[in-house]
Amino acid sequence: MSVQIGAISATLSSFLSQHDYSHIAVIVDEKTQKHCLPLIQSLLPKTFTKIVIKSGEEQKTLATCEKIWQAMTQANMDRHGLIINLGGGVIGDMGGFCASTYKRGIDFIQIPTTLLAQVDASVGGKLGIDFHGLKNHIGVFQLPKTVLIDPTFIQTLPDRQKRSGFAEIIKHCLIRDAAKWDTIASLDFDQVDLADLIAHSVEIKKAVVAEDPKEKGLRKILNFGHTLGHAVETYLLGLGKRAVLHGEAIAVGMITEAYLAYQRNLIEAEELEAIEAMLFATYGRIQIKAEEIPAIIQLTAQDKKNKGSEIRFSLLTGIGDCGYDIPVSKAEMKKALEYYIG
Ligand code: GLY
């Protein structure tokens, strides 16, 4: 899996000079069109096609895919073309899905422009769209030709967006690197070295995905915090006004799932306390009402790690270690969400 971290002017021109594509299309949203496309436009052939979609998770649908496939068809793209996904997780996942299915699949590269996409979504070849309110319900595994990460892209992101991406960095430390966890847990968010942490997260993710590309086993540890986290995210997205960012929901997921691990004697009380202290300090406590818990738990039934009616979690087995395929009952989930509510 090719991932390069560095100035986009150098990495993209080097990539393009080594390949001979019949046509290039760049997928952007209104934000990356304004802030990021100008940084790469001079490196592209003058004939490139710009495909603009609206930003936001609610655009990650089959209807938007149709527009992208239509634009690719109108540009007469053949199988020797290249799609460049210039954006966050939505563009990367959906643009990659469109490229992988167009004429049975053409090359694509990821240029992630958010912290979340740089440390997680762009690496590992998970592609897809949401479907009838269910996140990433339809999709494929397909690796991009390369991922080009320029840490300077994130300098202008709003603080809230950066904190959201930081949740995946925290996750990578908790599941694989106790020493790095100790470092970040002792710092405030505005003191951490994000460029260093991006490289660290990419290394962890690459190593896990290399061992288990299609998530048959080990890769499930990357879903720590995501079973209840996704359910909270999906539930609040459905309410509209109380929608939270992905990383904010994953913070809820990491606290509740650390509590589940503690209840199973997989981690010590001090470890749970350290995890929740750090996450509450960084993300606050997201409002979840007691009467909403059943609906949130109901959503875990659609989690992609489940087998039959068994809801299976990836739970910490210590800070820096994580197990997977651990069945958890609805009663345990309820207790964990009640613990979070306080
Ligand atoms: N975001 C988790 C994974 O890519 O497996």
Side-chain angles (χ1 to χ4, degrees):
M1 190 183 350
S2 159
V3 182
Q4 294 185 60
I5 303 181
I8 196 66
S9 53
T11 57
L12 182 57
S13 45
S14 161
F15 175 83
L16 292 175
S17 70
Q18 289 162 36
H19 296 82
D20 182 23
Y21 287 109
S22 58
H23 192 73
I24 293 179
V26 185
I27 305 182
V28 288
D29 60 25
E30 68 280 359
K31 292 179 193 156
T32 58
Q33 169 171 233
K34 186 167 168 212
H35 299 293
C36 306
L37 188 56
L39 303 176
I40 66 163
Q41 197 153 346
S42 65
L43 310 172
L44 302 174
K46 294 216 164 12
T47 53
F48 86 93
T49 298
K50 182 172 70 177
I51 303 176
V52 189
I53 63 166
K54 286 190 197 135
S55 62
E57 181 74 28
E58 61 285 359
Q59 305 300 325
K60 200 175 167 184
T61 61
L62 203 49
T64 312
C65 290
E66 276 199 59
K67 288 187 188 145
I68 295 171
W69 286 318
Q70 193 178 12
M72 291 165 76
T73 307
Q74 272 168 1
N76 285 320
M77 285 188 82
D78 60 26
R79 274 187 164 173
H80 307 280
L82 174 75
I83 291 288
I84 299 180
N85 295 316
L86 183 64
V90 171
I91 285 190
D93 288 8
M94 184 164 50
F97 177 67
C98 288
S100 301
T101 45
Y102 179 78
K103 298 192 177 179
R104 297 206 180 89
I106 66 167
D107 283 359
F108 66 98
I109 66 172
Q110 307 288 34
I111 305 183
T113 58
T114 64
L115 183 58
L116 191 65
Q118 292 191 345
V119 298
D120 188 16
S122 66
V123 181
K126 276 189 181 176
L127 310 171
I129 51 167
D130 301 340
F131 183 70
H132 293 190
L134 297 170
K135 276 183 65 70
N136 303 324
H137 199 62
I138 306 293
V140 294
F141 286 100
Q142 181 69 50
L143 288 175
K145 288 299 279 183
T146 190
V147 182
L148 305 179
I149 297 176
D150 185 339
T152 62
F153 273 133
I154 62 164
Q155 276 166 3
T156 53
L157 288 179
D159 178 80
R160 191 174 168 199
Q161 284 284 347
K162 278 195 265 193
R163 273 177 203 263
S164 173
F166 186 50
E168 298 290 357
I169 291 176
I170 297 170
K171 177 197 78 181
H172 288 135
C173 295
L174 284 172
I175 61 173
R176 279 297 248 211
D177 190 341
K180 202 69 160 179
W181 158 260
D182 286 343
T183 307
I184 61 169
S186 66
L187 297 171
D188 286 338
F189 173 66
D190 48 17
Q191 296 172 312
V192 298
D193 178 352
L194 285 178
D196 169 65
L197 290 170
I198 291 168
H200 175 260
S201 269
V202 167
E203 279 316 306
I204 289 181
K205 182 143 189 199
K206 265 175 69 178
V208 172
V209 172
E211 251 185 79
D212 177 21
K214 297 255 171 104
E215 202 171 280
K216 302 285 184 218
L218 180 74
R219 184 167 180 170
K220 293 176 192 173
I221 69 171
L222 296 173
N223 283 298
F224 163 61
H226 282 62
T227 309
L228 284 169
H230 261 162
V232 167
E233 182 181 11
T234 305
Y235 180 79
L236 294 177
L237 188 67
L239 295 185
K241 274 213 320 245
R242 281 170 54 209
V244 293
L245 298 181
H246 177 71
E248 294 166 344
I250 296 315
V252 180
M254 287 193 281
I255 293 172
T256 48
E257 295 181 21
Y259 178 80
L260 289 171
Y262 168 65
Q263 288 290 299
R264 297 272 183 111
N265 294 319
L266 298 172
I267 63 171
E268 304 292 332
E270 302 75 53
E271 293 177 308
L272 172 63
E273 278 160 24
I275 292 168
E276 65 175 66
M278 197 269 194
L279 290 170
F280 277 132
T282 310
Y283 299 97
R285 195 185 298 264
I286 285 164
Q287 190 204 14
I288 297 170
K289 299 175 190 156
E291 61 270 25
E292 295 172 331
I293 288 179
I296 292 170
I297 292 174
Q298 197 51 41
L299 284 165
T300 62
Q302 289 297 338
D303 193 276
K304 286 180 275 303
K305 295 182 301 304
N306 295 343
K307 183 143 192 224
S309 58
E310 228 172 53
I311 318 287
R312 294 176 158 195
F313 279 66
S314 301
L315 296 182
L316 295 179
T317 48
I319 287 182
D321 275 304
C322 191
Y324 55 87
D325 282 345
I326 303 170
V328 170
S329 70
K330 291 189 173 166
E332 287 173 291
M333 289 185 234
K334 179 168 181 282
K335 208 168 152 194
L337 285 161
E338 283 167 354
Y339 176 78
Y340 178 85
I341 292 172

